[in-house]
Amino acid sequence: MTEPALSSVWTRPRPEPRRRAPGVDQYVAAALAIADAEGLAAVSMRRVAGDLGSGTATLYRYITNRDELVDLMVDAAQGEDPIPEPTQDWRADLAAVAHALRATLLRHPWLAGELAGRPSLGPNSLRRSESALRAAVALTPDITLASQALGAVHAYVLGSVATQQAARRAERRSGLTEEQWQRSVGPYISEVIAAGKHPMLARRVLEAEEPDPNAEFAFGLDCMLDGLAARLGR
Amino acid sequence: MTEPALSSVWTRPRPEPRRRAPGVDQYVAAALAIADAEGLAAVSMRRVAGDLGSGTATLYRYITNRDELVDLMVDAAQGEDPIPEPTQDWRADLAAVAHALRATLLRHPWLAGELAGRPSLGPNSLRRSESALRAAVALTPDITLASQALGAVHAYVLGSVATQQAARRAERRSGLTEEQWQRSVGPYISEVIAAGKHPMLARRVLEAEEPDPNAEFAFGLDCMLDGLAARLGR
DNA sequence: TAACTTCTGGATACGTTGTAGCCATGACAG
DNA sequence: CTGTCATGGCTACAACGTATCCAGAAGTTA
């Protein structure tokens, strides 16, 4: 006796509004705008509905809960850019996949954590995955290895963008200006360095050049792609 | 006229309790236990205080806010393991750093997202960073490049562990059992595959071997280290 | 020992959030 | 025109972060 299938946001029919209520796409767009401007925590059901002149109860008629709204947001963000055309060069294609993902993440600073933290099964996400897998299969026809290769690139991109955005996020959370944040942290760092227990960190703070985020990202990606080429390339 | 320095959790004096209240370390340990068992969202100030038989107001006397509590938790988690001894082999050392970080993240499933999302400045974190930088400097004496190399490894580890844990996290959030979660998702995946628009995804689902998380992680790490060796090694 | 000070848990309060349910009104269909 | 239903608005509840207050207990001082 099999139990009934359970529904998910991607399987449930998406009812269209009959009267003046906004459609799901409008709710999602409003939520995206709030998240981009103020962070994901600012996306509350009341806020989203209110910004659209809709009732919260109405929003709940279309979107089951907040978690589902975030799923929809994550997928919508991934549908903003066209899928890049494949070339004959797996490496260029994987790099394009990585850069496209990074561009999306930079546009939506809340997204990296969410993408890293939840399976992504919406239509846009699947479309992107398909394109990315196609590039990886050009590297190696073994689907298992291709998936692993893609996973490694994906992991690097997510981790890299998220950590690059961490300082900005902490500032925001503190409610301080960037200058105030530096002033809350700077003396501590100076103290740590003066204590002499962390000579490598001292060198990094005192000698290392200010990283250009784009170049830093590209460096790590190139290393990863180099490694993939060495291990799987032909 | 310079403005006064602003304090942070790491610069503020840490008062010891005078009577029967728990110390900061006990609050943090209780919060860690809750987060490990139930996820970070279950860590509320009331909950932490209550679990220790303390008043919430008392907790606030020692820890300024919830955000600070999370900072303390993140650092405490990083202090659980001893720092590995350096060898003469930069690659082995960087791999050890990566594996140690992964082990910590696996023990605390909430940690990857937090580490990726916030600067980590506590004493344990700095200690780990120092050790990791020492390994990276053995790869290249250029402190800027060493930092970049370490950043790339770090990004990969965080992203990899977080995405490996994503499915588990989604199950938990749904409130479904693992089997129920599969049943909510399985038919959708079958449908997507049957539609024929995602041939690469279909191959992955139908043909790819179930990944061993440890091997998958090691593969990506090896690729990254290969790439670093090729670009910076001597 | 008594008086004073301070630490603590408990309680209350407020604004906010997710979610649930109800109701009157207006829009639409038959 | 009547009936149905979609909708915004409202109320409610539990929970949360944070702030404040208070009585009692614990410690210190004279």
Side-chain angles (χ1 to χ4, degrees):
Chain A
M1 178 69 163
T2 55
E3 298 202 29
L6 294 166
S7 70
S8 82
V9 58
W10 311 117
T11 56
R12 213 168 293 131
R14 182 184 291 195
E16 286 303 310
R18 301 293 192 79
R19 309 242 172 110
R20 58 195 191 282
V24 170
D25 289 347
Q26 277 167 281
Y27 284 121
V28 174
L32 273 173
I34 296 166
D36 291 347
E38 301 169 46
L40 190 59
V43 178
S44 73
M45 303 301 266
R46 285 183 174 91
R47 175 69 191 281
V48 173
D51 279 11
L52 290 175
S54 152
T56 312
T58 305
L59 169 54
Y60 274 106
R61 281 181 200 125
Y62 293 93
I63 297 171
T64 302
N65 53 46
R66 187 181 182 276
D67 201 55
E68 189 169 294
L69 176 61
V70 174
D71 276 342
L72 290 163
M73 288 165 68
V74 168
D75 195 66
Q78 287 176 92
E80 287 169 347
D81 301 326
I83 303 290
E85 287 298 319
T87 69
Q88 305 276 43
D89 177 359
W90 71 263
R91 181 167 178 139
D93 286 357
L94 271 187
V97 165
H99 282 288
L101 176 57
R102 181 168 182 264
T104 301
L105 299 177
L106 291 178
R107 243 182 356 252
H108 305 290
W110 50 272
L111 185 58
E114 291 306 310
L115 265 182
R118 69 175 67 213
S120 211
L121 299 174
N124 294 319
S125 184
L126 294 183
R127 202 173 297 124
R128 275 186 169 217
S129 296
E130 179 68 18
S131 153
L133 263 178
R134 207 185 308 125
V137 167
L139 164 62
T140 171
D142 181 325
I143 193 67
T144 302
L145 288 178
S147 301
Q148 285 194 16
L150 181 58
V153 171
H154 198 244
Y156 168 71
V157 176
L158 292 180
S160 179
V161 177
T163 53
Q164 281 186 352
Q165 292 171 329
R168 182 80 196 93
R169 197 174 288 123
E171 282 169 30
R172 260 183 150 168
R173 227 177 9 228
S174 71
L176 305 178
T177 65
E178 183 176 345
E179 195 256 341
Q180 284 172 326
W181 161 255
Q182 295 297 341
R183 271 210 346 276
S184 75
V185 168
Y188 170 65
I189 301 293
S190 302
E191 201 178 295
V192 165
I193 289 169
K197 285 196 197 154
H198 303 293
M200 293 297 134
L201 278 175
R203 283 187 60 200
R204 180 156 94 176
V205 171
L206 299 176
E207 298 168 33
E209 291 159 27
E210 191 60 32
D212 165 46
N214 297 330
E216 200 173 30
F217 174 79
F219 172 77
L221 178 62
D222 282 337
C223 288
M224 182 62 88
L225 294 176
D226 285 352
L228 290 174
R231 289 186 172 241
L232 301 179
R234 22 176 211 178
Chain B
M1 180 66 159
T2 54
E3 298 202 31
L6 294 167
S7 67
S8 81
V9 59
W10 310 117
T11 57
R12 212 170 295 132
R14 182 184 289 195
E16 286 302 309
R18 301 293 192 82
R19 306 227 177 125
R20 59 193 190 284
V24 171
D25 289 347
Q26 278 169 280
Y27 285 123
V28 173
L32 273 173
I34 296 166
D36 291 347
E38 302 168 46
L40 189 59
V43 178
S44 73
M45 305 300 268
R46 286 182 172 90
R47 175 68 190 283
V48 172
D51 280 9
L52 289 176
S54 153
T56 312
T58 305
L59 169 54
Y60 274 105
R61 278 176 206 128
Y62 293 95
I63 297 171
T64 303
N65 52 45
R66 187 181 183 280
D67 200 55
E68 189 169 293
L69 176 61
V70 174
D71 275 341
L72 290 163
M73 289 165 68
V74 168
D75 196 66
Q78 286 178 89
E80 290 170 347
D81 301 324
I83 302 289
E85 287 298 319
T87 70
Q88 305 276 41
D89 178 359
W90 70 263
R91 184 171 173 135
D93 286 356
L94 270 187
V97 164
H99 283 286
L101 176 56
R102 182 167 181 263
T104 301
L105 298 178
L106 291 177
R107 248 189 345 262
H108 306 289
W110 50 272
L111 184 57
E114 291 306 311
L115 265 181
R118 71 177 64 214
S120 211
L121 298 175
N124 294 317
S125 185
L126 293 182
R127 202 174 294 124
R128 275 187 170 216
S129 296
E130 179 69 17
S131 154
L133 263 178
R134 207 185 310 127
V137 167
L139 165 61
T140 170
D142 180 326
I143 193 68
T144 301
L145 288 178
S147 301
Q148 285 195 16
L150 182 58
V153 172
H154 198 245
Y156 169 71
V157 176
L158 291 181
S160 179
V161 177
T163 53
Q164 280 188 353
Q165 292 171 331
R168 183 77 195 97
R169 196 175 288 124
E171 283 170 28
R172 260 182 149 170
R173 228 179 7 229
S174 72
L176 306 177
T177 64
E178 185 177 346
E179 196 255 341
Q180 283 172 328
W181 160 256
Q182 295 296 342
R183 275 214 336 279
S184 75
V185 167
Y188 171 65
I189 302 290
S190 302
E191 201 179 295
V192 166
I193 289 169
K197 285 199 197 149
H198 303 293
M200 294 296 134
L201 277 176
R203 283 188 61 202
R204 180 156 95 176
V205 171
L206 299 175
E207 297 169 34
E209 292 159 27
E210 191 60 33
D212 166 47
N214 297 330
E216 200 172 29
F217 173 78
F219 172 77
L221 178 62
D222 282 337
C223 289
M224 182 61 89
L225 294 177
D226 285 352
L228 288 174
R231 285 184 178 245
L232 301 179
R234 19 176 214 176

